[in-house]
Amino acid sequence: MPVLCDGAEQVEGWRTVQVSVAMATWQGERFLPEQLASLLDQTRLPDEMVVIDDASTDGTREVLEAFRAIAPFPVVIVTTPNRQGSTPAFARAIAAATGDIIALADQDDIWLPHKLAHLEAIFERDPATTFAFSDATLIDDAGEATEATMWQVRRFTPELQERVRAHPFTEIAHRFLATGCTIAFRRELRSVLLPFPTGFSSTIDPMVHDRWLSIVLSGAGRVAVVDEPLVAYRIHVDQQIGLNSISVALPLFQRYLRRLRAPRTDTDSPRVYQLTHLVEARSRLISKGLVGGAALEEIDAVIAHQSRRCHPAPSRIRRVAPIAAELIRGNYHRYSRGWSSALIDLTERAPRSRRERHDLVRRDDPPLEEPAEPRIEPPRRSTSCSAPH
């Protein structure tokens, strides 16, 4: 009989946990065959695969059909008539998956052979684990590995990993740590994730799928931080979201100069964008009865701090006292990135006019310098989806 990686025996053809792979594809014929081959090489094969092809015009569909013909598990392929983007495509794949555990897959990576077996064992050991994510090796166009892993590039240190395990929502709320191709989560939590949030205003874009998943799931229970690579993450010029564009930790002076030079406007406010989605995540978690007590208090503390940061006084002089108060309370170190975040808040340029500032925040929200607690309501306008500092 086959043996699971944690030593438990398993009867052939029967499993206590069903695992689905959810994939989105677009113009993927170049690298897709290697990814599909890595699925066949898994020591624990998936129980099904759901692929949403986002109106590819190359040979992607033919590659998928050829794979379906030889795969020893069901493969569902849906082609959209018009291109929608990767986030809507992943939403459809997640909605169609039937397994107890849903593992996300990109079209251009390579899974290491023990990936699914390792993730399955994690979820079986701890029913309170809501989602898991792992490190990844980095490979180039030709599949050659680089010296560093993804977490090393992102400076996701062992110390920070322990902080995420202890306080997942607090840390993930302001850091982009979980890359989609490394994420797996319980299907029973799908109702709180879907539909992906849209329609906050006519100018706000949907949050990228893996960022939204990690925020919501980190508030719903324990997070498994797998400190070994389970995926070979390919870096190439054609990828939609590359490693260089998401959460590569910049040195303090670079972040400082970028914020100092850039005015805060209603079209360029990562923090307001982030706060909007944090509030939406809180609302959904409460409505599904997935959070309460101390966990909800922690979520509210994170949102309150981020709300204060979104509402600075126009004058830098008037920011000194409230920023100092947040530092004394320890909130900058607990809910942001410490002294660097405080320095950015103190020195960055505010909107040039009162009207511009009112376009950015709600008129009934208190500014940062006032002592009242901020209202936990989503601000109205923003477009940026980068992680705040």
Side-chain angles (χ1 to χ4, degrees):
M1 289 186 292
V3 179
L4 295 175
C5 62
D6 61 356
E9 287 189 345
Q10 178 182 26
V11 178
E12 185 70 40
W14 179 87
R15 293 187 175 104
T16 59
V17 174
Q18 300 289 300
V19 179
S20 295
V21 174
M23 177 184 285
T25 60
W26 180 70
Q27 307 294 81
E29 68 173 342
R30 180 183 177 191
F31 298 119
L32 183 57
E34 287 185 86
Q35 170 67 301
L36 297 177
S38 74
L39 296 181
L40 296 179
D41 289 340
Q42 291 295 298
T43 58
R44 191 273 192 228
L45 290 172
D47 297 291
E48 74 165 357
M49 180 176 179
V50 179
V51 186
I52 307 299
D53 180 60
D54 198 21
S56 294
T57 58
D58 62 355
T60 298
R61 177 75 189 207
E62 289 73 19
V63 172
L64 291 171
E65 291 290 357
F67 177 75
R68 176 161 60 181
I70 64 170
F73 47 82
V75 178
V76 177
I77 305 171
V78 177
T79 300
T80 61
N82 300 297
R83 190 181 179 198
Q84 301 175 341
S86 62
T87 293
F90 270 110
R92 291 188 64 179
I94 291 168
T98 63
D100 304 297
I101 305 300
I102 300 174
L104 304 186
D106 289 347
Q107 65 183 8
D108 46 8
D109 301 323
I110 300 173
W111 284 12
L112 301 189
H114 63 293
K115 174 183 168 73
L116 285 184
H118 192 82
L119 292 174
E120 179 185 46
I122 289 172
F123 285 103
E124 285 191 323
R125 280 197 302 265
D126 184 8
T129 295
T130 60
F131 89 105
F133 68 99
S134 74
D135 196 358
T137 59
L138 302 179
I139 59 175
D140 60 19
D141 281 41
E144 296 296 325
T146 64
E147 295 183 0
T149 70
M150 178 180 288
W151 287 6
Q152 289 171 340
V153 171
R154 288 184 170 173
R155 303 178 190 175
F156 188 27
T157 63
E159 178 185 3
L160 181 53
Q161 293 167 35
E162 286 302 316
R163 284 159 51 188
V164 172
R165 293 184 181 101
H167 301 282
F169 188 90
T170 295
E171 297 299 332
I172 289 176
H174 67 278
R175 302 177 189 272
F176 201 154
L177 299 174
T179 303
C181 64
T182 73
I183 289 177
F185 61 94
R186 295 191 186 275
R187 179 174 59 89
E188 64 196 54
L189 295 169
R190 184 169 57 188
S191 63
V192 74
L193 297 167
L194 300 178
F196 290 162
T198 58
F200 292 118
S201 76
S202 60
T203 60
I204 192 167
D205 293 329
M207 180 172 275
V208 68
H209 66 280
D210 46 5
R211 184 78 183 109
W212 171 250
L213 292 174
S214 62
I215 287 174
V216 177
L217 295 172
S218 67
R222 281 197 285 272
V223 174
V225 182
V226 184
D227 58 352
E228 66 172 285
L230 298 181
V231 175
Y233 180 90
R234 192 186 303 270
I235 302 173
H236 60 93
V237 295
D238 296 325
Q239 62 194 146
Q240 181 182 14
I241 301 178
L243 183 64
N244 291 334
S245 65
I246 48 176
S247 291
V248 176
L250 293 175
L252 172 58
F253 76 93
Q254 291 186 24
R255 285 186 280 147
Y256 169 76
L257 289 177
R258 184 173 65 181
R259 287 293 182 183
L260 184 63
R261 293 169 180 170
R264 291 172 53 90
T265 70
D266 61 347
T267 59
D268 182 21
S269 182
R271 270 181 249 130
V272 173
Y273 178 92
Q274 186 80 350
L275 177 61
T276 303
H277 288 85
L278 293 178
V279 172
E280 175 66 14
R282 175 188 183 274
S283 175
R284 294 195 187 192
L285 289 167
I286 292 175
S287 69
K288 299 296 183 180
L290 295 173
V291 67
L296 180 57
E297 291 178 3
E298 184 170 326
I299 290 173
D300 285 346
V302 171
I303 292 175
H305 171 72
Q306 296 301 333
S307 183
R308 294 188 191 100
R309 294 192 66 200
C310 286
H311 306 151
S315 166
R316 293 187 176 104
I317 296 294
R318 295 176 63 194
R319 298 178 202 169
V320 173
I323 289 174
E326 283 291 281
L327 282 167
I328 291 171
R329 297 187 191 107
N331 290 341
Y332 271 104
H333 289 81
R334 192 176 297 116
Y335 306 128
S336 291
R337 301 191 183 183
W339 289 102
S340 63
S341 295
L343 180 61
I344 288 169
D345 286 356
L346 179 63
T347 57
E348 71 178 353
R349 295 168 62 187
R352 295 188 181 95
S353 68
R354 179 177 295 274
R355 180 174 181 177
E356 196 173 54
R357 186 167 182 260
H358 282 180
D359 284 341
L360 179 64
V361 300
R362 295 179 58 90
R363 292 175 185 270
D364 57 348
D365 281 335
L368 179 61
E369 74 269 22
E370 294 184 9
E373 287 296 308
R375 294 168 61 89
I376 301 179
E377 295 182 4
R380 289 182 175 173
R381 304 175 70 87
S382 177
T383 58
S384 174
C385 62
S386 60
H389 297 293

